[in-house]
Amino acid sequence: MHCPYCKHADSRVIDSRVADDGASIRRRRQCPVCERRFTTQEQTQLVVLKRSGVVEPFLRDKVVQGVRKACKGRPVSEADLARLGQQVEEAIRQSGLAEAPSEQIGLAILGPLSRLDAVAYLRFASVYQHYESPEDFEEAIGRLRQTQMAG
């Protein structure tokens, strides 16, 4: 790690602590040349493999933006959306894959969204799962009712 002050190519780790509920590590470092201290944060990188083959970094905000559109006009708060984004990211990280296919992210959204707001779930699912007829909606509503009765 380069020193941000004198640009020396090395630094010494003085202290390491777990941060963000175990999702990252905070390291306190010291430069051996100028002896100034600075903090770094390490986090495993999670990437999304798009249908087109393009690989891009996973962004929780992008998940929230997509779900926000489905929740327009619904009684869903920004805190609810933030929680959903966190749940999706945790589910993807727990899968153990460094490259998560975009389809898996969509599926990871559907579960928490169905519990958050049924109408928003149907809106999101209709686009994500390419509903083409009223029967597709009827089947989804039937599955949603069964899930809600079971839970």
Side-chain angles (χ1 to χ4, degrees):
M1 174 64 60
H2 290 274
C3 173
Y5 304 107
C6 72
K7 307 298 182 213
H8 182 68
D10 198 16
S11 63
R12 184 170 65 95
V13 175
I14 298 170
D15 182 44
S16 293
R17 295 183 187 195
V18 174
D20 296 330
D21 295 329
S24 63
I25 296 180
R26 180 183 169 275
R27 298 196 192 279
R28 196 73 182 129
R29 297 176 176 270
Q30 184 171 17
C31 175
V33 174
C34 70
E35 297 187 5
R36 292 182 76 180
R37 294 181 178 192
F38 57 98
T39 302
T40 60
Q41 197 150 5
E42 291 180 25
Q43 187 172 28
T44 57
Q45 187 174 14
L46 182 62
V47 294
V48 178
L49 179 60
K50 307 286 270 185
R51 289 184 190 122
S52 65
V54 173
V55 176
E56 63 182 41
F58 174 86
L59 299 173
R60 189 186 298 182
D61 288 343
K62 195 167 180 180
V63 169
V64 170
Q65 287 173 10
V67 174
R68 183 179 287 122
K69 291 175 187 174
C71 294
K72 187 173 183 173
R74 302 297 305 154
V76 176
S77 70
E78 285 299 314
D80 292 334
L81 291 174
R83 251 187 317 279
L84 184 138
Q86 182 177 355
Q87 290 170 341
V88 169
E89 183 174 352
E90 288 172 358
I92 298 301
R93 287 191 185 280
Q94 287 174 357
S95 74
L97 299 173
E99 285 186 2
S102 58
E103 298 85 34
Q104 185 174 358
I105 294 171
L107 291 173
I109 291 170
L110 289 173
L113 186 55
S114 71
R115 292 184 293 277
L116 181 63
D117 188 274
V119 172
Y121 165 82
L122 288 170
R123 288 176 179 169
F124 187 87
S126 71
V127 173
Y128 179 73
Q129 296 179 330
H130 310 289
Y131 291 1
E132 295 180 7
S133 69
E135 290 78 23
D136 292 338
F137 280 94
E138 289 172 351
E139 288 175 27
I141 291 168
R143 286 191 305 273
L144 189 58
R145 284 184 177 144
Q146 286 176 344
T147 304
Q148 289 177 338
M149 284 183 209

